[in-house]
Amino acid sequence: MKYITRTVWVLSLVSLFTDAASEMLYPIMPIYLKSIGFSIVLIGILEGFAEATAGFSKGYFGKLSDNAGKRIPFVQIGYAFSAISKPMMAIFIYPIWIFFARTIDRFGKGIRTGARDALLSDEATSETKGQVFGFHRSMDTLGAVIGPSLALIYLYFYPQDYKTLFFIAFIPGLLAVLASFFLKEKVRNVVKPKSITPFFSFLNYWKVCPPEYRKLVIGLLAFTLFNSSDIFLLLKAKQSGLNDTMVIGVYIFYNLIYALFAFPIGIIADKVGLKNIFVIGLILFSLVYLGMSANTNLYLFFVLFFLYGIYASATEGISKAWISNITDKKDTATAIGTFSGLQSICAMIASSMAGIIWFKFGGAITFLITAIATIFVVLYILTIPKPITFFKGTN
C-alpha cells in the first residue's frame, strides 16, 4: 500500500461513488425506459448514440488535457456531468430529453477518462503501474457491487419504483464531485498550441505514436470487437433458469470478485510482467465464453462468473498500465483517451454483431465464436515484445 498515494486514494473514492451511482441504475435502466414508452429499438439507438458520444470525446478531451497541461478540471467537470444526468433521467421523460440526459452522462465519461488515467499514471513508476491501476479498478468496481446491491434492497421494499432510484443515485454522484475537490494539480511544463484543438485531432496520434503502442492497441481493439456487452452473459443466465434476483445477484458476485482481485493481481503483474498477466486474463475469458456456450447448470454459472471476475481483474487496469508504460508522459492522456475512444466504438460494434448472431444462430454459437476469436488474439499478443518503459525517466 506504500505506493498508493493520496491522489490515487481520492481518484479511487471518486470512481467508487460514481460507479455506485451508475451501477445502481444499470439493472433497471431498460425496464425504466420501457415503462416510459421506449421500444427495444429506441433503447438500442439511445445506448449506441450515447456510447459513440463517449467514445469520440475520450480521445478529444485526452488530447485537450495534454495540450493544456491540466488534469483536474477535466476530472471534475466529467464527474459533475455524470452526476447531474441521474435526476435528469427521472425529471425529463420525453425521448429527446432522455437522449440529452443519457448523452450528458456518457459525455462526462469522455471528458474525464484520459485525464484521470493520466493522473494515475503520474502517481506511479513503470514498476508500480499494475498495482496503482489495479487499486483504482478495485475501488471503482466496489462501487459496482454497492450500487446494484442498494438497488436490489430498495426494489425489494418498493417494487417498480424506478424513478426514485434515479434521485437516490444523485447522492453518490454528488459525493464523487465533492471528493474531486481534494485533488491538487501538479505544475506541468507544456508548450500550448497556438490554435484551437480540432475535435478529431487525437486521431493524428496514431501517426506519431510509438510502434509498440500501435501494435498493442491493434490487438486490444481486435479483442474488443468480439467482447460484447455483459448483458449477453446475463441474458444467457436468465434463459437457463435464473430468476431476476439471481441474475442481479450473479452480476454483483462477478463485480465483487473483480473488486477483490484487481489490486492483488496488479501487484503480481508488476512482479511477473503486465503482458503475462494480460494473456492469462484473455485465456480465462475464452474459457468462460466456451463454458457459457454449453452450460445450463445454474450453479456452474457462479463458477463461470468467478472466472470472469478474475479475467476482468487481469486485463482492464493492466491494459492501461501497459499503454502508459510505452508512451511519453506528455502524451499519456492522449494515448489512453485515443485507445479508450476507439475501444468504445469497437464495443458498440461488438454488441451489435453479437445481437445479430444471437438472433440468427442462438447464444451458444455467439459465445463459441467469441471464445475462438479470443484465442487468435492471444496468439497475436504473444508476438508483442515484453513491455518496457519506452521513454525512460518520463513515467
Side-chain angles (χ1 to χ4, degrees):
M1 296 294 290
K2 65 180 180 179
Y3 299 112
I4 308 303
T5 64
R6 178 180 181 275
T7 297
V8 175
W9 267 108
V10 173
L11 283 172
S12 299
L13 286 171
V14 168
S15 292
L16 184 152
F17 288 133
T18 299
D19 222 44
S22 298
E23 295 292 337
M24 188 183 300
L25 304 176
Y26 183 79
I28 60 99
M29 183 71 75
I31 303 171
Y32 171 71
L33 291 176
K34 289 190 71 175
S35 73
I36 60 174
F38 272 61
S39 66
I40 294 295
V41 173
L42 198 55
I43 291 173
I45 294 172
L46 169 64
E47 288 303 300
F49 182 77
E51 286 304 322
T53 300
F56 286 120
S57 59
K58 284 175 185 176
Y60 171 70
F61 285 105
K63 178 70 172 177
L64 206 60
S65 174
D66 282 335
N67 286 349
K70 294 185 180 296
R71 309 295 189 204
I72 294 175
F74 294 91
V75 172
Q76 292 171 334
I77 293 171
Y79 282 111
F81 273 29
S82 290
I84 63 174
S85 71
K86 303 301 188 292
M88 288 173 64
M89 293 284 287
I91 296 171
F92 305 120
I93 61 172
Y94 295 105
I96 189 65
W97 289 111
I98 293 290
F99 265 80
F100 178 70
R102 185 68 177 134
T103 302
I104 284 289
D105 178 38
R106 297 293 87 189
F107 192 56
K109 187 175 181 66
I111 292 173
R112 68 181 183 255
T113 296
R116 181 202 64 203
D117 289 338
L119 270 176
L120 289 170
S121 179
D122 288 346
E123 294 298 307
T125 66
S126 59
E127 293 78 21
T128 61
K129 290 285 179 71
Q131 58 189 292
V132 167
F133 277 92
F135 180 79
H136 176 262
R137 294 310 308 167
S138 282
M139 293 289 283
D140 181 275
T141 311
L142 185 58
V145 175
I146 295 170
S149 299
L150 291 176
L152 202 60
I153 293 169
Y154 180 82
L155 291 174
Y156 176 80
F157 291 102
Y158 303 97
Q160 299 184 343
D161 185 12
Y162 306 122
K163 185 174 289 190
T164 304
L165 271 177
F166 284 85
F167 292 106
I168 295 174
F170 177 65
I171 297 173
L174 181 60
L175 290 174
V177 176
L178 294 175
S180 71
F181 283 94
F182 287 94
L183 294 168
K184 294 182 179 180
E185 190 79 70
K186 292 182 178 179
V187 178
R188 295 176 178 84
N189 295 320
V190 296
V191 179
K192 296 184 180 180
K194 297 179 181 179
S195 59
I196 297 174
T197 303
F199 187 78
F200 291 103
S201 61
F202 68 92
L203 294 175
N204 293 328
Y205 181 68
W206 190 258
K207 301 176 184 177
V208 299
C209 67
E212 292 88 346
Y213 172 86
R214 194 179 297 116
K215 188 168 185 179
L216 172 59
V217 169
I218 287 173
L220 296 177
L221 295 180
F223 169 61
T224 305
L225 279 173
F226 291 93
N227 185 8
S228 56
S229 169
D230 293 343
I231 289 291
F232 291 100
L233 297 177
L234 299 176
L235 180 60
K236 168 66 175 179
K238 173 69 175 175
Q239 288 185 346
S240 297
L242 269 66
N243 58 36
D244 290 346
T245 302
M246 289 190 71
V247 168
I248 297 176
V250 80
Y251 180 68
I252 294 172
F253 173 71
Y254 147 69
N255 280 308
L256 179 61
I257 298 303
Y258 183 1
L260 289 175
F261 282 88
F263 182 42
I265 286 179
I267 294 174
I268 295 171
D270 286 331
K271 296 181 182 299
V272 304
L274 300 175
K275 174 183 172 179
N276 295 332
I277 293 298
F278 188 82
V279 166
I280 290 171
L282 290 187
I283 292 172
L284 286 176
F285 176 91
S286 183
L287 291 174
V288 168
Y289 269 68
L290 188 62
M292 283 286 181
S293 69
N295 181 54
T296 56
N297 186 301
L298 301 186
Y299 296 104
L300 189 55
F301 276 113
F302 282 89
V303 176
L304 292 173
F305 274 95
F306 174 86
L307 295 176
Y308 195 61
I310 302 296
Y311 137 75
S313 301
T315 55
E316 297 203 15
I318 298 299
S319 62
K320 291 182 178 180
W322 189 348
I323 287 172
S324 70
N325 264 357
I326 58 175
T327 52
D328 196 328
K329 188 174 183 179
K330 66 181 177 61
D331 296 323
T332 303
T334 303
I336 294 179
T338 299
F339 160 64
S340 298
L342 295 174
Q343 186 185 43
S344 294
I345 304 303
C346 289
M348 183 176 65
I349 296 171
S351 293
S352 300
M353 289 170 51
I356 294 170
I357 295 172
W358 189 303
F359 178 76
K360 293 284 187 180
F361 305 104
I365 297 297
T366 306
F367 293 127
L368 189 60
I369 290 173
T370 299
I372 294 171
T374 302
I375 294 301
F376 283 101
V377 174
V378 168
L379 296 176
Y380 173 84
I381 294 292
L382 288 173
T383 69
I384 299 176
K386 180 182 177 182
I388 59 173
T389 304
F390 188 74
F391 291 91
K392 291 187 181 296
T394 61
N395 264 328

